[in-house]
Amino acid sequence: MADEVKSKFVYERTSSWKNISDSGRKKIEHFADDYKGFMNHCKTERLCVRYLEKDARKLGFKDISEAKPEPGERILFRNENKNLMLVILGKKDIAKGLNFIASHLDSPRLDLKPMPLIEENSLAMMKTHYYGGIKKYQWVNLPLSLHGVVVRKDGSAVDISIGEGDNDPVFTINDLLPHLSRKVQGEKKLLEGIEGENLTLIVGSIPCEEKEIKDKVKDTVLGILNELYGMIEEDFVSAEIEVVPALKAKDIGFDRSMIGAYGHDDRACSYPAYRSIVDFEGVPEKTICALLVDKEEIGSFGISGIRSKFFTHSVMRLQELYGKECGGANLRDIFENSFCISGDVGGVVDPMYTQVNDLYNSAKLGFGVIIEKYTGSGGKSGASDASAEYMGKIRKIFNDNNIVWQPGTLGKVDEGGGGTVALYVADLGIKVVDCGVGVLGMHSPYEVVCKADLFQTYQAYLSFLKDA
Ligand code: MN
Ligand code: MN
């Protein structure tokens, strides 16, 4: 059969599986295996930072106090146990700027409230407050695990991590049985069917023996918590405990081409960002960096969000390392000469709901790393909107390095929208554009990515960091 005649003028998306050799497929699978291992260990931003910092130190990244201002030096900054910034010093003067990838480690989830433990009708339960944009009805009747830290009365901290091991108990949020939910839920709109205050975990059912104690089941649970973690109820006030799906990252499909996992947004970008730095071979021309932040899902506020001074202060510390005057004109030069990829995931066409997309402009699963000129909503509001010049630069880097990429937008005009960290990077006077992996079922407890897209994103980030 004759090939369809192709115009040399027309743009077409290319499958990221096209012309993959056996060795190419092996590389994709190998990277996917590493990623699944990371995902199974790292369900929270704290766990990500701990895991990646440990790995980076093994690979020669050191604190700035031990670093020398020499090309190839590998330096690590950590902030609040929730941000990690990895730097490799380049051959060029730091005043020539950085090539860096900014990406987030936090994912939508439920957080325990400051006073979470209650007893209702002889069941011990824990109250939560959701974090980020979730569809609440997706979080019921799932196995859930708890991860975080409790700072006890004496000031000592203890980690909590329960629900991932094969013999660990898990927790769950009960939904009402269909037999009785016709009125109380059935007459509501879908997104209001499960209310935030009802996202309450079941955590125990055995009453204690003490006759005088009112909440006997709650007391049993507190006794167990005291035994396991040496904590009392008041300690919850100084705790951060995140409730996440106790689900393992798995291959999806007969062809095993996809990965299902909790937290692809944004670990499907922050992991490739991390790997593109630590796997970087040789000495880069410009100083390169991966900036892994927290709090993106709730607006990037706070001391561990990208709006904090962590990045700026870390760059100032690099200036100090070179014996330069900190801040001022020197810092301005660095920022003005820097280039950033905001490594965040993008939405892809869901074949069952194509009506929300402009199919000419929407990204598709399996068609490479997404370049998103703008995000935002309602007339691009809140978008940093990368310039034609910067889009041209990034597109050329990707084309020169045979990266499979595709343009993307988040849905039809006025359908909805969203944002990333890009606008806060742009605020510093740094050119930035969103580039990342396409995700199906974004913000759900079990999101889906394509392995070949994940690998293309890693390759795309590497090519960007290499650019002089
Ligand atoms: Mn994201
Ligand atoms: Mn998100």
Side-chain angles (χ1 to χ4, degrees), residues 104 106 265-266 296-297 343-345 419-420 442-443:
H104 67 98
D106 60 317
D265 181 3
D266 185 29
E296 192 277 339
E297 295 295 355
D344 210 341
V345 295
T420 67
M442 203 191 290
H443 287 200

